[in-house]
Amino acid sequence: MIKTHGYAAQSATTAPAPFDYEHRSPGPKDVHITVDFCGICHSDIHQARNEWGNAIYPMVPGHEVLGTVKAIGSEVTKFKVGDLAAIGCMVDSCRVCESCKAGEEQYCNNQATVFTYNSRDKQGNLTFGGYGNNIVADESFVLKVPANLDPAATAPLLCAGITTYSPLKHWNAGPGKKVGVVGLGGLGHMALKFSHAFGAHTVQFTTSASKVEDAKKLGADEVILTKEEGWAAKHAGSFDLIIDCVSADHDVNSYLNLLKRDGVLCTVGAPEDPIKIAAFSILGRKTLTGSMIGGIAETQEMLDFCSKHNIVSDIEMASFDKLEEVWDRVVKGDVKYRFVLDLKTLN
C-alpha cells in the first residue's frame, strides 16, 4: 500500500483537514502519480458538504489531478516513470456496455462509472482524489499531458475543460455557427475559449459589466449584458447553440427564445432547484439538453486540441492552509477563473 497524506472532509459540517490514508500499490496496469497540482471544482464543495445527498466520508476531493508518474505496473505501455500525467473525474467503468465501448464511459449503461473520489471501486474500496500527494489509477483512465502547456493551468481542463469542450464538439460549434455562453466563471471562460478556437461566432452573456473586457480578451465576438433593458428581444431566434454554465437558479426561458429553429440549449451547470420551462419557449423544435464531462478518448482529444491552440485555464494558485477561505470564494464566484492547489503547500 502507498501511504498518502492529504486533506479530507469527515462530515458535511466540518472543514477539510489533514488526513493520512493509503492507496493500493500499482497492479500490472496501474499508474502511480505523485500529485503536483489539483484544480478546485465547485463540485468538490457540493460533495464535501453533502449538498447533493450522496457523500461518503472520509472524503478526499479533487478530480482535476496533474502530476508526475512515480511508478508503473508491468503491463503499462502508455507511460514511463517521470512523465507528466493527469486524471480527471473518473478512474474506471464497466468497460463492456454500449456506452463504454463507444468511449462514453461517463454515461456507463450499467451505472458502474467509478469516480475519482466519493465513489467505490470494483473491490468496494473508497476512492480518494487529488487533494492528496499520491493517486493510483488504471492506465486506461490516465491521460497524457502535452509538454507545451503550463501544468498548473492545465489541471482544470480535466473537468472545466472537458465539460464545455464535449457539448461544443457534439453540437458542431464552428464556422458559420452562432454560439452563446451563459456565465463567465470557471466553466464559462473555458466554453468561451473553446468556441472561439472552433471558429464559431461567439457571444458571451453576463450580468456583470466588469466582465465585458475580460470576455472580449478571452475570445468573445460580442458581449451581452443581461441586466440591460430589452437585451433579449434584439437577438431572438439567432443562435444555433447556447452553453449554459450557470450553477445558480436563473430563468432559462429567455435563452431558449434566442434559439433558431432546431437550436440547442445545453446546460452544464448544476442549479440546486429544478429548471422551469414555459411550453412556448421550446416551440420551433428547440432542444433543452444537458451534458457531463466526456469520455477518456475525448478528454485526450481535448488536451491535444489545447496543445495545438495553446489553451489553458485562467487560474489563481491556492494553498492548503487557505482552503476554507478559497472554498468560500468559489461559492461567491470570487475567482478569475479557477483555483488550483499547489501540492507543495501540503503539510
Side-chain angles (χ1 to χ4, degrees), residues 163-182 191-192 194-196 198-205 224 235 237-245 255-268 285-291:
T163 295
T164 50
Y165 178 93
S166 185
L168 286 164
K169 181 75 182 299
H170 182 79
W171 279 287
N172 301 311
K177 297 290 184 72
K178 185 176 180 182
V179 174
V181 177
V182 184
L192 181 52
F194 284 136
S195 180
H196 175 76
F198 279 135
H201 180 88
T202 305
V203 180
Q204 179 69 52
F205 297 98
I224 297 174
H235 301 281
S238 65
F239 282 84
D240 299 285
L241 173 65
I242 297 175
I243 305 295
D244 188 341
C245 302
Y255 299 104
L256 286 166
N257 291 329
L258 302 182
L259 295 174
K260 295 178 177 178
R261 171 176 49 82
D262 294 326
V264 174
L265 172 64
C266 179
T267 178
V268 294
R285 292 205 305 253
K286 299 173 185 179
T287 298
L288 172 65
T289 188
S291 180

Side-chain angles (χ1 to χ4, degrees), residues 5 33 76 122 125 140 230 233 243 278 327 330 332 337 340:
H5 180 61
I33 297 169
V76 170
K122 291 174 180 176
N125 300 311
S140 298
I243 305 295
W327 274 17
V330 171
K332 294 174 184 175
Y337 283 96
V340 173

Side-chain angles (χ1 to χ4, degrees), residues 50-128:
N50 200 25
E51 292 171 351
W52 292 342
N54 65 342
I56 310 172
Y57 301 103
M59 183 191 303
V60 178
H63 57 203
E64 299 176 345
V65 188
L66 191 145
T68 305
V69 175
K70 185 172 183 178
I72 58 173
S74 59
E75 298 178 17
V76 170
T77 59
K78 286 171 52 180
F79 299 93
K80 64 181 186 299
V81 172
D83 284 350
L84 279 180
I87 294 174
C89 299
M90 53 188 172
V91 291
D92 206 349
S93 69
C94 85
R95 309 195 194 196
V96 296
C97 72
E98 180 182 4
S99 291
C100 289
K101 287 184 175 179
E104 302 279 11
E105 299 94 344
Q106 74 278 26
Y107 300 128
C108 177
N109 297 72
N110 291 322
Q111 297 183 327
T113 303
V114 177
F115 295 101
T116 305
Y117 70 90
N118 196 53
S119 189
R120 293 196 181 276
D121 64 21
K122 291 174 180 176
Q123 289 71 46
N125 300 311
L126 185 58
T127 58
F128 296 117

